[in-house]
Amino acid sequence: MDLANLNAFIAIAETGSFSEAGERLHLTQPAVSKRIAALEQQLQVRLFDRLGREVRLTEAGRALLPRAYRILSVLEDTRRALNNLNGDVSGRLTLATSHHIGLHRLPPLLRAFTRAHPQVALDIRFLDSEVAYEEILHGRAELAVITLAPETAAPVRAVKVWDDPLDFVAAPEHPLARNAQVSLADVARHPAVFPGGNTFTHHIVRRLFEGEGLTPSIAMSTNYLETIKMMVSIGLAWSVLPRTMLDDQVKPLTLPGIRLSRQLGYILHTERTLSNAALAFMALLDGARETPPS
């Protein structure tokens, strides 16, 4: 079975489009179609139904997809295991991370890593933490440095590196910012801009309100924290931001008895062999881990 054909099959299954799969694989659409035709001929089954512009997996395609993931994963795992035997820290390291962590936490670690291991080609993919989790699960990235989920199930393992305190914030001229302290009920009465509903941060804040029997008034949402900060700074809404992002554009609100924090760290697939490059980067992350005060 040709691995290039399998990669084309997976790309179409994930994007739902021959043209988008071609863009991902840097191939023309006819070249992608040719690979799928060859795979279908080899397996003697139809893998996709083409309904106008829609592309859907057939029953045979749905049966092949998890097996295709496993085939490519085993081959990649074998390649890494053999390459590790020489002890060199080289090759490609595919690292997924969120935009916020990539901007605010990783630069000094990446600088140290590239200086210590110049033979490693870093492939950094900026993704939402939830998407990065899926990249690890399906073996498309070796490591992901993300906002950790409250719970992580096998075969994914999570390692906390940083605590990331979160603060309620508003523009300095916002009505909430005029008070020395406010309650959660006060905050809930004003429009908010939240991270998207699929994000771990959204669920952390939402659970806080639900625990008090309150529902925040979410007027807007976006997954980009820098965009949230901009919306807050011009007075459109209040929000919750990492303390590391605060400056004179926004004012933290004091809510007595309320402390919010999320955990940042890295995840890996426990059933995959990690490259020497991934192990070296993990060592840097472990060295950066914050120890709780005694």
Side-chain angles (χ1 to χ4, degrees):
M1 189 176 295
D2 192 304
L3 297 182
N5 295 348
L6 269 186
N7 274 312
F9 166 73
I10 289 173
I12 298 167
E14 290 180 346
T15 63
S17 164
F18 277 68
S19 58
E20 288 185 31
E23 290 176 10
R24 177 189 287 189
L25 299 171
H26 307 292
L27 297 171
T28 63
Q29 184 172 336
V32 173
S33 298
K34 186 176 179 180
R35 290 187 179 186
I36 295 305
L39 185 59
E40 289 178 330
Q41 183 177 10
Q42 183 180 23
L43 297 176
Q44 298 185 343
V45 293
R46 189 175 185 84
L47 298 172
F48 294 102
D49 285 327
R50 300 152 180 87
L51 308 173
R53 292 188 176 183
E54 290 189 13
V55 178
R56 296 181 181 177
L57 286 166
T58 63
E59 184 178 357
R62 289 193 296 273
L64 175 61
L65 185 58
R67 293 168 172 81
Y69 280 131
R70 287 199 294 272
I71 290 168
L72 294 180
S73 176
V74 168
L75 288 172
E76 181 64 17
D77 190 74
T78 302
R79 183 192 63 79
R80 284 195 295 265
L82 295 176
N83 286 343
N84 283 353
L85 292 176
N86 61 21
D88 292 341
V89 180
S90 60
R92 178 173 296 273
L93 171 59
T94 303
L95 177 70
T97 188
S98 68
H99 290 83
H100 175 73
I101 294 174
L103 288 172
H104 296 274
R105 300 281 187 172
L106 282 188
L109 295 177
L110 291 171
R111 191 178 302 114
F113 183 80
T114 54
R115 287 176 179 173
H117 307 292
Q119 300 304 314
V120 176
L122 277 173
D123 178 9
I124 302 175
R125 302 178 183 180
F126 290 94
L127 304 166
D128 292 340
S129 293
E130 299 71 27
V131 177
Y133 184 97
E134 293 298 316
E135 293 293 290
I136 292 295
L137 194 60
H138 291 300
R140 293 188 291 267
E142 280 199 80
L143 291 175
V145 188
I146 60 171
T147 301
L148 300 180
E151 295 181 1
T152 303
V156 176
R157 180 166 74 91
V159 179
K160 189 187 87 168
V161 179
W162 305 282
D163 274 315
D164 198 31
L166 302 170
D167 286 330
F168 285 82
V169 294
E173 66 275 12
H174 192 282
L176 287 170
R178 297 172 189 161
N179 301 314
Q181 61 183 43
V182 293
S183 69
L184 208 57
D186 294 330
V187 173
R189 286 192 283 269
H190 292 266
V193 54
F194 262 37
N198 63 324
T199 64
F200 300 141
T201 306
H202 178 105
H203 294 308
I204 290 170
V205 181
R206 189 103 193 191
R207 280 200 302 270
L208 174 66
F209 281 89
E210 290 175 350
E212 298 294 327
L214 298 169
T215 302
S217 176
I218 303 173
M220 296 165 282
S221 65
T222 173
N223 288 1
Y224 295 101
L225 295 178
E226 286 73 17
T227 303
I228 290 176
K229 181 181 176 183
M230 180 274 292
M231 291 179 173
V232 170
S233 70
I234 61 178
L236 290 179
W238 64 266
S239 192
V240 173
L241 288 173
R243 193 168 294 166
T244 54
M245 294 183 67
L246 270 55
D247 55 25
D248 58 7
Q249 295 182 64
V250 296
K251 181 177 179 180
L253 306 175
T254 301
L255 284 77
I258 291 179
R259 292 180 180 174
L260 275 182
S261 183
R262 59 183 188 172
Q263 295 185 346
L264 311 180
Y266 65 89
I267 59 172
L268 60 135
H269 197 300
T270 58
E271 296 174 3
R272 305 277 196 272
T273 299
L274 294 177
S275 65
N276 288 339
L279 294 171
F281 198 80
M282 284 171 55
L284 272 180
L285 287 165
D286 290 338
R289 290 174 66 180
E290 295 173 343
T291 55
S294 55

